Amino acid sequence: MAKDRIFDIEFPSIPSAGVYYFNTTTGLRYEVRFGRLQDNILHSNIVFGVINDEFEGEEYVTTNRGEVFTVMNTIVEIVLNYIKEHPKVNFYEFNAVGREGEDDKKENARMLLYKRYLPKIFDTTWRFKIKGNFAEVTKVG
């Protein structure tokens, strides 16, 4: 079933690097990057998107080529791996970048999609706080 598939993941050679890649069957290359905050290394920002040259440097552009479930399942696997490799990280954040003209303070379609996948990554020991297109996930206890 396509909903359960994932793409082959290119893991970083050094786990602390926090940069993963995968290619879709339609030729899109995705990057999933985890950035630690300078003032709090237990806080990580998750950024992901298409990095193909055809998008002229529009970093983290997204497309819809009918692979959304497999792309999201692959991102879930990557985040789960990162959490396993970095068990002390207790705060994650990400931004569901909207289309031009969309209000950042209102949840967009992308954030609604991301919210569906949060429970596949984070169990009940984590709390979600969604503010428009910005999400914070905090370890409880």
Side-chain angles (χ1 to χ4, degrees), residues 54-134:
E54 69 187 271
F55 298 105
E56 299 177 2
E58 277 290 317
E59 196 171 21
Y60 305 117
V61 69
T62 59
T63 68
N64 186 358
R65 293 189 178 170
E67 301 169 313
V68 67
F69 294 120
T70 311
V71 166
M72 291 305 297
N73 286 335
T74 306
I75 292 168
V76 166
E77 286 300 313
I78 289 170
V79 176
L80 287 170
N81 180 80
Y82 187 85
I83 290 170
K84 186 177 99 185
E85 295 279 338
H86 303 86
K88 300 230 187 259
V89 174
N90 58 22
F91 187 96
Y92 291 91
E93 67 179 24
F94 62 91
N95 189 5
V97 177
R99 295 182 186 105
E100 194 172 320
E102 282 185 331
D103 185 354
D104 287 357
K105 294 179 181 34
K106 293 182 185 172
E107 286 182 20
N108 61 21
R110 191 172 295 160
M111 179 56 78
L112 293 173
L113 173 67
Y114 296 171
K115 281 172 57 174
R116 287 179 50 195
Y117 283 85
L118 285 175
K120 293 181 180 203
I121 301 170
F122 302 101
D123 63 22
T124 57
T125 63
W126 295 86
R127 288 240 162 71
F128 313 129
K129 185 176 182 182
I130 311 292
K131 298 183 261 182
N133 294 329
F134 184 75

Side-chain angles (χ1 to χ4, degrees), residues 9-72:
I9 299 168
E10 297 171 31
F11 294 88
S13 38
I14 302 169
S16 61
V19 182
Y20 300 72
Y21 297 95
F22 63 93
N23 298 309
T24 69
T25 52
T26 63
L28 295 177
R29 183 159 177 81
Y30 276 80
E31 178 182 76
V32 181
R33 178 180 296 271
F34 297 84
R36 300 278 187 94
L37 291 190
Q38 195 170 18
D39 62 343
N40 185 351
I41 62 168
L42 300 180
H43 181 136
S44 186
N45 183 295
I46 305 170
V47 180
F48 59 90
V50 176
I51 58 168
N52 292 56
D53 287 340
E54 69 187 271
F55 298 105
E56 299 177 2
E58 277 290 317
E59 196 171 21
Y60 305 117
V61 69
T62 59
T63 68
N64 186 358
R65 293 189 178 170
E67 301 169 313
V68 67
F69 294 120
T70 311
V71 166
M72 291 305 297

